[in-house]
Amino acid sequence: MLPNYQMQKAPLSSVKGITLLAILAALSVAGRIALSFIPNVQPVTTIVILMTIVMGLRYGLLLAIIVMILSNMVLGIGIWTLPQIIAYCAIVVVTSIFMRPLFSKLSLFMMALYAGFTGLLYGFIISLCQIPLYGSTYFLAYYLAGIPFDTLHAIGNFVFYFVLAPLLLPLLHKLINQHFDKS
């Protein structure tokens, strides 16, 4: 499935965009909460990547922010919520700039590798966001302490991409073609 450049230009206030955001946000939040007993293994990153590939930067950013706020309302909101939002927004920007234009040329395996990489990127950005709290002196220690969790996140993203991309991409394509292109 190729990125939908027509839907990328759809206003965020459109019923089409809101419907798709709501469906994917609900799926992401439910998946994050259901798998919260496994540290850092969740479908959120993969779903955010897929949304960004299909719908573009604005939709990816909005989905990431909505999912983090809603899921943290259940799992706990704290000083970690803003760094989580920042990290997911960075993943959306990287996906939009580098992966979206190349998506049709990349294999499922390469995209799954990228999804795995975003787990490591997420952890690095979270660690960078802690510098104002702990100081740059402790950055390396904080980052290294998080590597086992980042590795779990990367492995989870890799597996979730392999499972969810072949299921969600055709569904999103069908949904967009049947319901969203008929304005």
Side-chain angles (χ1 to χ4, degrees):
M1 178 181 154
L2 296 175
N4 190 314
Y5 292 101
Q6 180 183 359
M7 279 305 293
Q8 174 183 341
K9 295 175 184 164
L12 292 173
S13 61
S14 73
V15 173
K16 301 169 185 180
I18 292 170
T19 302
L20 188 57
L21 280 169
I23 291 167
L24 292 180
L27 181 64
S28 298
V29 170
R32 183 168 186 232
I33 292 168
L35 295 172
S36 63
F37 65 94
I38 307 171
N40 285 16
V41 175
Q42 55 184 309
V44 175
T45 310
T46 295
I47 294 171
V48 167
I49 289 169
L50 292 173
M51 176 66 140
T52 304
I53 294 291
V54 172
M55 301 290 288
L57 178 71
R58 295 178 311 147
Y59 285 92
L61 289 172
L62 194 53
L63 178 65
I65 293 166
I66 289 169
V67 169
M68 284 298 96
I69 291 171
L70 291 178
S71 61
N72 280 0
M73 289 176 79
V74 174
L75 298 173
I77 290 182
I79 59 172
W80 52 86
T81 302
L82 185 57
Q84 287 175 323
I85 290 171
I86 291 168
Y88 272 112
C89 287
I91 289 169
V92 168
V93 169
V94 170
T95 301
S96 181
I97 292 171
F98 297 108
M99 303 311 288
R100 191 167 195 248
L102 299 173
F103 180 72
S104 62
K105 298 173 184 145
L106 296 173
S107 66
L108 178 66
F109 180 76
M110 290 303 292
M111 283 303 297
L113 279 178
Y114 170 73
F117 163 75
T118 61
L120 301 174
L121 177 63
Y122 175 88
F124 181 75
I125 293 169
I126 291 287
S127 297
L128 283 177
C129 290
Q130 302 309 315
I131 290 175
L133 295 174
Y134 302 115
S136 59
T137 309
Y138 298 105
F139 168 76
L140 188 59
Y142 187 89
Y143 176 68
L144 292 175
I147 286 183
F149 297 98
D150 300 342
T151 303
L152 287 173
H153 193 176
I155 293 168
N157 289 353
F158 181 84
V159 171
F160 276 120
Y161 195 88
F162 258 114
V163 172
L164 293 178
L167 296 172
L168 285 181
L169 285 174
L171 287 173
L172 290 172
H173 187 258
K174 184 176 180 180
L175 182 68
I176 289 168
N177 285 340
Q178 286 183 350
H179 300 289
F180 294 137
D181 285 342
K182 296 177 183 174
S183 298

